[in-house]
Amino acid sequence: MSVPLTLLGLLERQPSHGYDLKRDYDQWFGHGRALPFGQVYSTLSRLARDGKVVMDEVTPGEGPERKRYVITELGATQVDEWLLEPVAPEPHQQTVLFAKVVLALMLDRPAEEYLDTQRRAHMARMRELTEVKRTGGLVDGLLADHGLFHLEADLRWIDTTSARLDALRAQVKP
């Protein structure tokens, strides 16, 4: 997730104060990972330095002054380019789980147990995400679906790898 580009996109929608940007970011993109206020303001400062946003209004607040930010043409161009750029397909072929299985085999450790432990962890996470789908709104449901589909693919890999452990063991420890 690119915080600077996401904040720029929110600013393209409408000029906003940092507090409003944090609220909108957390509502739409911060599920399980709220954006710290300090990161919002440091990001806005860098975006202003780079000419992608400007302050158009400063008003007194109950605490510090409230600064309203507006996206510039440069910032809007960068948002356009980012939206058009495809996301790199995930996951990468070399995963931590694969490395653990191969190392376990190399070290004569119980790779089957590691895969079973991972399967249980995936199943527990799937139950959590299924509950989110059942009780949450549309956005929560779509995010849960994304996670569930990835977990399902991982589980298929775990099952396939479990079935091929003897063959992999023979290659890893000739």
Side-chain angles (χ1 to χ4, degrees), residues 19-58:
Y19 176 86
D20 298 323
L21 287 169
K22 181 200 173 354
R23 181 198 62 223
D24 291 347
Y25 183 97
D26 289 350
Q27 176 184 352
W28 291 104
F29 311 109
H31 293 265
R33 203 176 317 152
L35 189 62
F37 277 107
Q39 187 175 358
V40 172
Y41 293 109
S42 64
T43 300
L44 287 169
S45 176
R46 283 191 306 278
L47 292 170
R49 177 199 68 205
D50 297 342
K52 296 172 185 171
V53 300
V54 293
M55 278 184 275
D56 80 331
E57 178 179 287
V58 177

Side-chain angles (χ1 to χ4, degrees), residues 112-127 155 158:
E112 298 87 350
E113 289 179 27
Y114 297 157
L115 289 170
D116 288 342
T117 299
Q118 191 64 52
R119 184 182 291 108
R120 285 190 298 276
H122 273 55
M123 296 300 292
R125 182 64 178 142
M126 288 179 87
R127 286 189 291 278
L155 285 171
I158 289 169

Side-chain angles (χ1 to χ4, degrees), residues 63-99:
E65 292 179 328
R66 293 189 50 149
K67 301 170 185 168
R68 189 170 83 160
Y69 295 87
V70 176
I71 193 168
T72 64
E73 188 64 36
L74 176 62
T77 298
Q78 188 171 20
V79 170
D80 284 339
E81 291 169 354
W82 180 60
L83 291 174
L84 291 171
E85 182 180 307
V87 175
E90 294 285 337
H92 301 288
Q93 287 186 318
Q94 192 73 330
T95 67
V96 173
L97 183 54
F98 177 78

